[in-house]
Amino acid sequence: AYAAAILAMGVTALGAPGYGLALGAAAFIASDSLLAAEKFLTEPGSPWSSPMRLGVWVLYIAAQFILTLSIIA
């Protein structure tokens, strides 16, 4: 159900005017995908865990920033 909701968000954002919402949605989807990969595909203590977690936060914050700017602009 969650994956379907995220997919629906991405598809809906593609139909919005401009590119801001689509870019923000893409960053959010990338953040969620990286989070899932870190959580379910890496071994505990993997040297990739820390950079992946940082990537999750960078993408998530960027997504929120881009989405906010797209809505208020």
Side-chain angles (χ1 to χ4, degrees):
Y2 182 72
I6 296 299
L7 179 62
M9 176 194 65
V11 170
T12 302
L14 287 174
Y19 60 88
L21 287 177
L23 184 61
F28 186 82
I29 291 168
S31 169
D32 258 23
S33 298
L34 193 56
L35 177 63
E38 193 273 327
K39 185 79 172 166
F40 300 113
L41 299 177
T42 59
E43 296 290 327
S46 168
W48 291 103
S49 290
S50 185
M52 289 174 86
R53 277 181 267 165
L54 176 61
V56 166
W57 282 109
V58 168
L59 287 166
Y60 180 78
I61 291 167
Q64 297 303 316
F65 182 73
I66 294 166
L67 289 169
T68 301
L69 286 181
S70 297
I71 292 169
I72 65 172

